[in-house]
Amino acid sequence: MPEVAFHTGLPDKVEYACRLLRKAWRQRQRVAVTADAATLGRLDAALWTFEPQGFVPHVRLAAGASPAPRLARTPIWLVDDGARAPQCDVLVNLGPAQAADAGRYARVIELVGASDADRQAGRQRWQAYRSAGWSVTHHARDGDG
């Protein structure tokens, strides 16, 4: 079973994800990222621009698409609903629902925003993981707890 870590109270999940993915890339980890299409679009654009002199190598995998062999070494995969990333160590979820294939990763990182709707969806995911017997940890931003 994967380790699950919830990062909650995030004012901007996309900005937080950029920093998290940059750190993962520097540590040579392979990461799949799930979210709704609009959020993945914002994240895709932000990964090109959030650091003026930097770039986090990534690719977006559309629903129904298979990873192209030439992209196999790409460390960060933005995965549209219905697509399956190649083997990765970590799953980062920015979406409101639990990823259906979360069990295939060694670590799952759930990013939860500060809005009431996002917090409620995060609570539901937390309960689903706990009910399944998974180990869950919590990392709260100041003021969220």
Side-chain angles (χ1 to χ4, degrees), residues 22-131:
R22 177 183 59 198
K23 180 179 178 181
W25 171 60
R26 288 178 177 167
Q27 293 176 347
R28 302 191 186 289
Q29 294 181 352
R30 292 178 53 84
V31 181
V33 182
T34 58
D36 60 81
T39 301
L40 286 178
R42 290 194 320 272
L43 180 58
D44 187 15
L47 285 170
W48 286 94
T49 60
F50 88 102
E51 188 175 68
Q53 300 299 317
F55 169 70
V56 177
H58 66 282
V59 67
R60 183 151 179 200
L61 188 59
S66 296
R70 66 182 168 76
L71 300 174
R73 292 179 44 195
T74 305
I76 310 294
W77 292 82
L78 309 183
V79 184
D80 280 318
D81 194 26
R84 185 173 166 104
Q87 184 59 43
C88 293
D89 308 310
V90 180
L91 171 67
V92 175
N93 183 21
L94 283 75
Q98 182 177 345
D101 62 349
R104 68 184 275 246
Y105 299 90
R107 286 184 63 212
V108 176
I109 300 172
E110 293 279 352
L111 303 185
V112 180
S115 74
D116 288 339
D118 213 34
R119 290 166 71 124
Q120 184 59 36
R123 286 183 186 109
Q124 290 173 349
R125 293 192 310 275
W126 175 285
Q127 288 300 327
Y129 288 122
R130 295 291 291 187
S131 294

Side-chain angles (χ1 to χ4, degrees), residues 9-20:
L10 307 176
D12 185 342
K13 291 193 301 186
V14 169
E15 188 269 334
Y16 190 88
C18 285
R19 290 186 287 118
L20 184 70

